[in-house]
Amino acid sequence: MEWLSAENVVAVGTAVLGIVASGVMVWYERRVPRRKRIGYRVQMDNPIGDDVRSGRANRRLGLFDEAPGMSDATLVLLRIENDGSQSIADNDYTGRELHGLTAVFTDRTIRGVSVTQPVGTDHLMDHFTPAAGLGYDTNTLRIPRVPLNPRDHFKLLVLLSGGDVGCAIRLIGGIRDGEVHPNRSATPDDKAPLFSRASRLITIMLTVCVVTLAAIVVVRDDTPPPIGCAHGTLTVTGSTAFAPVVEEVAKKYERDCEGAKVIVDPHGSTAGVRELEATGLASKNGSPAVVALSDGPKPSDMPRLRENRVAMSVFAIVVNDGIHLDDLSTADVRRLYRGEIKNWRQLGGPNLAVHLVSRDANSGTRQVFQRRVLKRGEIANSSVDCVHKDDPTAPVIRCELDSTDQVLTQVAELPGAIGYSELTLASGAKGLHTLRLDGHPPSVDAIEHGTSSYPYREIEYAYTYGQPPADSLASSFLTYLSRGNGQDVIRTHGHIPCWTPEGLKLCA
């Protein structure tokens, strides 16, 4: 899925708009005229006497120890603040009494009050006088009509006796077009809330929901399945050199097309093609669900097999790293595989006997090598283990192995060994290196751009028995492999897709 698709742009845009909307809500809460509000909160309620009724007794010294009636004393710090968006004037208090608000300390008796205010608000102190209504009686504290700008506050430190820590404290009074309400408890340094609890909750929920929705839309893969997905089971056989490509494409197809099962069972181009032919002849339902990959064209005696050109594959001749040669002429390679070169000294190399490590007769890689490079077949097999000569009359040791991986392993381990392989597999192997032919390196890029006449290359064919139905899994998979997402896999593995502008010329 492309990250910059239209759906993702919409999703991310929605998330941004949601966050902006949350910010606008904050701004609206603070700047747009709304109800006037006075909030209050208890920032401290501590015992200072020795009475342990509350379970929170403190040790006292000095005045508190000497003053009568202080055995169960407590200190309360009450903060009163304008947490609305409008200023509050003295005539906004609605009470008929001289004072504006009343603080009630349940079950306790007020013994003294101290007023504090933040720096820069000294003008507030002019309002805290008995003439303005400041005073207390038993458990009731009268608070003057103090004008407060938005976010202004003052604090009242109240000395009390009797009652327990935590007894209810209420602030009573009215504000024109507004309210007096409790705020959450806070430390003395906390600022008044920027906006109401309901607004905070709505903002958080909106932000979380929108961001979660956007994340789900972006992360999930909405890529539609390939056109023509089919269900069922398909067997892909044939070339071992092209097997890594087919295995990866099969996994991608199964992931994209639910209900499809692609079994990859490579055991050589010739064997795969002949297995397809036999399965087709035995089938009573037309084209069987089998595809055979072959490094080169099928034998001429199989007219019912229908070809599909998939890719141009490049192969390489490989030698053990102990053979310090990088370039051979085509003529020298032919002499090697006719048994005329028995020691690498004859070609300017080290004093090592030649060991020819070949593929079996079912190998398409071998057939391409014989057709494109040798122009003839190889000499007879003379060794089972590639080390000892089983036929004393054979000019050189030559062995045959079942797969490309086996050839590469043997060449890397055996001094004096030479073999052949699909280029990408050979390039990643250790203990061996590839050879140039007549000065031309085995280069996919050079061949694709038409700047090399390197001969060891061939078209990779995919064969079916007859023409499979258009809605069959075989037809769908071949389209996916040669013209769909499989093209990227083909190129990643070092082949040239036939259905590209360059590949069409090479595969013609």
Side-chain angles (χ1 to χ4, degrees):
M1 179 178 67
E2 297 181 1
W3 290 103
L4 293 180
S5 65
E7 294 83 358
N8 288 349
V9 171
V10 171
V12 174
T14 301
V16 172
L17 287 176
I19 295 173
V20 170
S22 301
V24 170
M25 181 179 294
V26 174
W27 175 86
Y28 183 86
E29 181 75 21
R30 298 304 306 159
R31 298 301 180 185
V32 176
R34 299 190 61 165
R35 298 181 67 189
K36 299 175 182 180
R37 296 186 306 190
I38 284 184
Y40 68 94
R41 42 184 163 165
V42 177
Q43 293 189 312
M44 181 178 72
D45 189 358
N46 287 342
I48 58 173
D50 283 336
D51 194 329
V52 296
R53 286 182 301 158
S54 65
R56 299 173 57 190
N58 285 19
R59 290 298 172 186
R60 57 192 171 91
L61 294 173
L63 175 63
F64 294 124
D65 194 36
E66 300 168 359
M70 290 290 104
S71 63
D72 56 358
T74 55
L75 276 176
V76 170
L77 183 63
L78 181 65
R79 171 174 170 145
I80 299 173
E81 56 207 5
N82 180 351
D83 62 355
S85 59
Q86 298 187 54
S87 297
I88 296 175
D90 56 359
N91 59 0
D92 284 323
Y93 294 89
T94 60
R96 294 184 179 181
E97 297 82 0
L98 177 62
H99 63 279
L101 301 172
T102 302
V104 178
F105 299 86
T106 305
D107 297 333
R108 287 189 266 190
T109 302
I110 301 174
R111 296 302 186 98
V113 179
S114 175
V115 182
T116 68
Q117 81 289 329
V119 176
T121 58
D122 292 341
H123 61 282
L124 296 181
M125 294 302 293
D126 296 338
H127 300 275
F128 291 99
T129 64
L134 178 63
Y136 60 85
D137 182 18
T138 61
N139 68 342
T140 303
L141 172 62
R142 297 181 295 276
I143 304 170
R145 298 169 178 261
V146 181
L148 294 172
N149 292 322
R151 302 187 68 180
D152 277 355
H153 73 275
F154 60 87
K155 300 179 184 180
L156 301 171
L157 183 62
V158 185
L159 175 63
L160 305 111
S161 63
D164 291 334
V165 169
C167 288
I169 300 172
R170 295 179 294 122
L171 193 66
I172 301 172
I175 301 294
R176 182 180 296 108
D177 298 326
E179 63 178 348
V180 176
H181 66 99
N183 282 332
R184 66 178 177 83
S185 178
T187 63
D189 295 329
D190 275 355
K191 297 180 179 179
L194 290 177
F195 51 101
S196 66
R197 180 178 300 177
S199 296
R200 294 197 300 269
L201 181 60
I202 292 173
T203 299
I204 293 172
M205 292 181 61
L206 175 62
T207 302
V208 170
C209 290
V210 172
V211 171
T212 302
L213 174 62
I216 292 174
V217 173
V218 172
V219 171
R220 72 180 182 182
D221 189 354
D222 289 329
T223 305
I227 298 175
C229 272
H231 308 303
T233 301
L234 174 70
T235 298
V236 181
T237 185
S239 171
T240 59
F242 205 68
V245 175
V246 181
E247 288 170 352
E248 184 172 342
V249 174
K251 291 179 181 178
K252 291 175 72 71
Y253 186 89
E254 289 176 349
R255 191 164 54 246
D256 290 342
C257 297
E258 186 177 354
K261 179 67 175 178
V262 181
I263 301 171
V264 181
D265 182 27
H267 43 270
S269 296
T270 300
V273 169
R274 295 198 179 280
E275 177 184 335
L276 173 62
E277 171 81 359
T279 303
L281 291 173
S283 175
K284 299 179 180 180
N285 299 318
S287 180
V290 178
V291 172
L293 275 296
S294 175
D295 306 331
K298 64 177 177 65
S300 58
D301 61 345
M302 301 178 182
R304 294 296 305 275
L305 299 193
R306 181 181 179 85
E307 73 176 32
N308 299 267
R309 302 189 179 200
V310 176
M312 171 64 72
S313 296
V314 181
F315 302 85
I317 298 175
V318 295
V319 294
N320 183 276
D321 277 342
I323 302 171
H324 306 297
L325 297 174
D326 297 315
D327 192 353
L328 288 178
S329 66
T330 303
D332 287 337
V333 173
R334 291 170 181 169
R335 292 172 61 202
L336 279 165
Y337 279 86
R338 288 198 300 264
E340 298 174 4
I341 305 295
K342 301 178 181 180
N343 193 293
W344 287 102
R345 286 183 304 178
Q346 297 174 249
L347 297 176
N351 182 20
L352 290 171
V354 172
H355 293 255
L356 304 177
V357 182
S358 299
R359 288 290 308 281
D360 57 43
N362 289 323
S363 167
T365 305
R366 169 178 168 176
Q367 293 172 12
V368 175
F369 180 61
Q370 294 176 161
R371 185 168 58 252
R372 296 287 187 178
V373 180
L374 300 183
K375 303 298 184 181
R376 52 160 290 168
E378 298 183 46
I379 60 176
N381 187 28
S382 62
S383 175
V384 174
D385 59 8
C386 301
V387 178
H388 303 93
K389 187 185 294 185
D390 299 329
D391 180 4
T393 64
V396 295
I397 293 176
R398 177 182 176 275
C399 62
E400 294 181 358
L401 301 176
D402 295 333
S403 70
T404 298
D405 288 338
Q406 291 178 357
V407 170
L408 293 175
T409 300
Q410 190 64 259
V411 171
E413 294 176 353
L414 182 62
I418 181 174
Y420 40 79
S421 163
E422 186 272 325
L423 176 59
T424 302
L425 295 176
S427 300
K430 297 181 179 180
L432 53 80
H433 59 274
T434 61
L435 294 177
R436 294 191 297 271
L437 286 178
D438 299 321
H440 297 289
S443 169
V444 173
D445 289 340
I447 293 173
E448 185 172 15
H449 292 93
T451 59
S452 174
S453 58
Y454 181 78
Y456 195 10
R457 52 179 167 170
E458 185 57 275
I459 298 172
E460 193 72 31
Y461 293 88
Y463 287 101
T464 57
Y465 189 84
Q467 179 65 44
D471 59 351
S472 66
L473 180 54
S475 178
S476 174
F477 180 77
L478 284 176
T479 301
Y480 187 89
L481 171 66
S482 59
R483 307 184 194 184
N485 293 345
Q487 285 193 357
D488 294 334
V489 181
I490 290 173
R491 188 172 292 282
T492 299
H493 283 265
H495 306 273
I496 305 170
C498 281
W499 287 88
T500 61
E502 299 81 4
L504 285 171
K505 298 177 182 177
L506 293 171
C507 297

